[in-house]
Amino acid sequence: MNVPLNQVLNPTNEQRREMIRNSLETAGRPEDYEYIVRLLSPPPDITNYAQLGELKGIKIGVIGGGLAGLSAAFELRKLGADITILEANDSRFGGRVYTWYFDSEGKYYNEFGAHRIPVTHETTWHYINLFGLNTRPLTVMRRNNFLYVHNTRLRTSDSIEQMLYPLYDLTPQERSTPWAELNDYAFLYLMMQLPPDIRSELIQILPEYSPEILPLMNDSVRQTLENLGLSQGAISLISGVDPGTGALLDISYAEAVQEEYTIDYRNTYTIEGGMVNLPYAFIQSFFTDKLPQYQNIPASRLGTVTYRPGQSVTGIYQLQNSSQITLAHRNVRDLSRSVDAFDYVICAIPYSTLREVDIRPRFSNPKMQAVLEYNYTNSQKTFFLCRERFWEQDTDYGRMVGGFSRTDLPIQYIFYPGDHLLCPDLSSCSPNEPGVLIASYNYHLNATRVGNMQKPLRFEFIKESVEEVHGLPRGFLDSIVEDHKTVVWDNEPYNRGAFAESLPGQKQLFAYEMQKPEFNQRIFFAGEHVSTKHGWMQGALYTGKEAANQLANSFHSQPM
């Protein structure tokens, strides 16, 4: 029996790209393939900009030990530099990659941060393949999840037109338009009016953008839907059926559309054993000179990487008549202070935490303004460790393996673990064994409101909401949920936000300025916020590699 492409383990590059082609063919825009693959592929190897070992004796400070900082350090080590990563968090590594394990064996876990890898995200796959990490699919072959909207419960296979349209004040034309067409009109129509080269600007950072794409960037989702002539009833319907969009109606329309452009939700994967295995692979690589990832670079040419957790950077300084950059940092436990000087620095922390850092002289006015106002979205996730997988059981409230249910309740999404997706039969994957349910995954105001409830009340509220979505009697989950854990990203002290999302006008105003080096080409910037892929590992990894390349290139123009 032939296994569908999107169900294969560890897809090859050829298999991934065939999935991309197939998806774009289905979407009626195969001409976007070359743009997407090229623009999301990793930057050139750093040895195109400097020779192996050429940065021997050069001291580089990296602020932040998330994927952006780790990938930058990994690349710069090839050139022989001595790199120090200053990471504030001393209890875990990975930044906004955050795998939570309920058991010491690592069998029952889920992801508080990044949890999906689209097949289009070429830079992420570059590092997954480089480190030989195992991946498994998250794509559900037969969607059978719940949609609970307007106090009405239906399956994804049921008719939205019959069951939900009558509940909203739609115009006669909207009422006669099938849901798939209505949703495509809302989020694909404007993009499809643009020539392929213009719509590719959705995933580019440019000093100037084509006039045709500016309305997508400079209007909010709500403004655009209104400009398309959709009624408030239709906007409410869309907000309910797609609660992620409903929670983010105030962001730039281009933020929503660029994920459609690169089909980020069509074929997705996860890393076997937890996403944290990717940052862990980077950190492991720093302690050896014999990994195949360094392509047989002689040990004498390799640099060193020192990873220093628990060090929160408080100041970035360049003294007059000095080329070096001084980083002041504080131990998060005992608050003791230290100062280190570096020849170059890569700043890979989010603007939400860079905002508190003392910077002298100031960065450029546009960058300082971006640090002040660039938008970050909150997100909340709550996990339930369940003694049995009620959602997989052959009942009216079950028969679901993987995928996610959607609701206009504040919990927004319920994600079901995908580890049983490839099971051949029940004997190998029983619904009676434990599993970790993402009981609530929400954004923005929903995340703040649910996330800041009193802990016992929040747990009860989410539990009762899950029961409501599944049509379970009140109290059903009391004997099933063994443990739970919540993370509210606004409240994480070293992040203070889940991911960047540009508001209308912010990409045109700030994106190009945000990625520019500062301090006479001595400090470079990385992180998902300075990428075209906000909220994805792709954005962090691409910009980390690109910042390393910028530094290597600058080294030639400014010899020590």
Side-chain angles (χ1 to χ4, degrees):
M1 186 174 101
N2 290 330
V3 178
L5 264 181
N6 61 7
Q7 297 294 294
V8 300
L9 296 167
N10 303 315
T12 64
N13 289 339
E14 292 72 22
Q15 288 172 323
R16 282 193 305 103
R17 287 168 186 165
E18 188 175 345
M19 285 185 246
I20 299 170
R21 285 193 190 93
N22 291 344
S23 294
L24 290 172
E25 289 276 359
T26 302
R29 47 188 182 94
E31 63 276 11
D32 289 337
Y33 172 83
E34 296 294 340
Y35 289 103
I36 290 171
V37 171
R38 175 172 58 84
L39 292 170
L40 297 184
S41 287
D45 192 77
I46 198 167
T47 53
N48 287 280
Y49 303 94
Q51 297 178 12
L52 297 177
E54 191 172 347
L55 269 63
K56 273 289 182 185
I58 301 298
K59 294 178 63 179
I60 298 174
V62 176
I63 308 173
L67 285 182
L70 294 174
S71 57
F74 176 86
E75 299 298 333
L76 287 164
R77 190 184 176 205
K78 297 176 183 178
L79 303 184
D82 295 322
I83 304 149
T84 300
I85 300 174
L86 299 172
E87 165 57 41
N89 199 325
D90 66 346
S91 60
R92 63 176 186 86
F93 53 80
R96 280 168 284 177
V97 175
Y98 187 178
T99 308
W100 177 263
Y101 299 94
F102 280 100
D103 63 313
S104 57
E105 291 79 29
K107 186 176 181 181
Y108 302 116
Y109 66 89
N110 221 309
E111 308 292 343
F112 279 121
H115 68 282
R116 289 175 285 191
I117 308 162
V119 292
T120 51
H121 287 195
E122 295 281 328
T123 306
T124 307
W125 286 97
H126 164 78
Y127 284 110
I128 286 172
N129 295 336
L130 194 66
F131 290 118
L133 301 176
N134 291 316
T135 60
R136 58 176 170 81
L138 291 175
T139 303
V140 178
M141 293 300 293
R142 187 177 70 90
R143 284 291 304 278
N144 191 35
N145 302 126
F146 283 113
L147 182 58
Y148 186 77
V149 179
H150 211 295
N151 297 332
T152 302
R153 183 180 303 104
L154 57 157
R155 296 276 189 167
T156 48
S157 54
D158 292 333
S159 171
I160 290 174
E161 297 87 347
Q162 291 180 16
M163 300 181 71
L164 294 182
Y165 275 30
L167 304 178
Y168 291 88
D169 187 17
L170 305 179
T171 66
Q173 182 178 359
E174 290 165 349
R175 203 172 295 281
S176 63
T177 304
W179 165 252
E181 292 182 23
L182 186 68
N183 196 55
D184 283 355
Y185 176 65
F187 296 104
L188 296 178
Y189 173 76
L190 290 178
M191 180 181 75
M192 293 298 289
Q193 303 309 300
L194 301 172
D197 60 327
I198 303 298
R199 61 179 179 247
S200 75
E201 293 181 16
L202 287 164
I203 54 169
Q204 294 185 63
I205 293 177
L206 302 168
E208 292 185 14
Y209 290 90
S210 301
E212 301 96 314
I213 206 167
L214 291 179
L216 280 67
M217 293 165 51
N218 295 341
D219 287 340
S220 70
V221 174
R222 174 179 282 282
Q223 287 172 316
T224 304
L225 298 185
E226 290 173 348
N227 292 341
L228 284 167
L230 293 174
S231 68
Q232 294 304 316
I235 294 173
S236 294
L237 171 67
I238 290 168
S239 297
V241 175
D242 182 3
T245 296
L248 297 171
L249 289 174
D250 56 343
I251 67 167
S252 165
Y253 180 74
E255 286 277 21
V257 173
Q258 62 92 0
E259 294 187 326
E260 294 288 342
Y261 175 69
T262 53
I263 49 176
D264 286 345
Y265 300 105
R266 197 66 55 86
N267 297 302
T268 59
Y269 278 75
T270 188
I271 295 173
E272 193 67 61
M275 290 288 207
V276 74
N277 283 308
L278 181 52
Y280 183 57
F282 276 112
I283 290 174
Q284 278 185 308
S285 77
F286 300 150
F287 300 107
T288 179
D289 53 23
K290 302 190 185 308
L291 280 180
Q293 288 83 0
Y294 285 120
Q295 302 170 346
N296 301 318
I297 300 172
S300 60
R301 297 276 188 93
L302 277 176
T304 62
V305 180
T306 304
Y307 182 84
R308 297 188 61 188
Q311 296 296 320
S312 176
V313 170
T314 58
I316 303 173
Y317 309 111
Q318 188 173 42
L319 301 178
Q320 196 169 9
N321 301 321
S322 173
S323 62
Q324 285 197 314
I325 296 173
T326 299
L327 297 182
H329 48 100
R330 181 170 52 205
N331 186 298
V332 298
R333 294 292 178 182
D334 62 19
L335 303 185
S336 60
R337 296 177 181 271
S338 304
V339 174
D340 288 294
F342 298 95
D343 300 306
Y344 294 92
V345 164
I346 288 180
C347 181
I349 56 174
Y351 279 180
S352 49
T353 57
L354 183 61
R355 176 75 175 105
E356 73 188 45
V357 177
D358 186 31
I359 302 168
R360 302 183 188 222
R362 285 164 58 96
F363 297 153
S364 69
N365 286 339
K367 189 172 272 100
M368 295 304 294
Q369 190 66 25
V371 173
L372 170 68
E373 67 172 285
Y374 205 75
N375 183 61
Y376 279 77
T377 293
N378 190 16
S379 174
Q380 178 271 156
K381 281 185 182 177
T382 292
F383 299 163
F384 286 176
L385 173 61
C386 300
R387 66 174 71 248
E388 61 188 49
R389 302 179 183 224
F390 65 90
W391 57 89
E392 292 183 8
Q393 294 168 353
D394 188 14
T395 62
D396 288 343
Y397 55 76
R399 294 191 285 273
M400 293 178 291
V401 179
F404 55 91
S405 291
R406 296 167 284 164
T407 179
D408 59 357
L409 299 176
I411 64 169
Q412 233 175 273
Y413 292 107
I414 302 167
F415 274 79
Y416 308 97
D419 53 337
H420 282 185
L421 278 171
L422 301 184
C423 289
D425 52 54
L426 283 178
S427 63
S428 53
C429 293
S430 169
N432 297 319
E433 69 180 41
V436 180
L437 183 72
I438 302 181
S440 171
Y441 175 28
N442 54 20
Y443 313 141
H444 196 29
L445 296 179
N446 284 329
T448 300
R449 291 163 180 173
V450 173
N452 288 310
M453 296 174 71
Q454 289 182 303
K455 289 182 180 179
L457 295 179
R458 180 178 63 209
F459 173 59
E460 288 298 316
F461 176 80
I462 294 174
K463 185 156 55 69
E464 290 170 4
S465 296
V466 172
E467 291 169 342
E468 183 74 15
V469 169
H470 289 83
L472 295 165
R474 185 63 54 85
F476 180 90
L477 294 178
D478 290 353
S479 62
I480 290 178
V481 180
E482 290 187 329
D483 200 356
H484 66 280
K485 170 75 174 174
T486 294
V487 164
V488 183
W489 281 99
D490 264 8
N491 301 346
E492 289 293 292
Y494 309 122
N495 306 98
R496 281 168 259 165
F499 44 84
E501 289 272 31
S502 59
L503 296 176
Q506 286 191 331
K507 182 176 182 180
Q508 183 185 13
L509 189 61
F510 293 130
Y512 189 74
E513 296 291 336
M514 285 163 61
Q515 64 173 4
K516 282 185 178 178
E518 297 281 349
F519 289 8
N520 299 316
Q521 301 274 320
R522 292 287 173 170
I523 182 165
F524 301 84
F525 296 87
E528 55 91 23
H529 56 292
V530 296
S531 79
T532 64
K533 276 296 171 191
H534 297 149
W536 297 93
M537 295 193 297
Q538 165 77 26
L541 292 165
Y542 183 97
T543 57
K545 199 172 193 300
E546 177 64 19
N549 286 354
Q550 289 179 342
L551 191 157
N553 194 41
S554 174
F555 178 77
H556 282 289
S557 60
Q558 295 187 11
M560 298 300 293

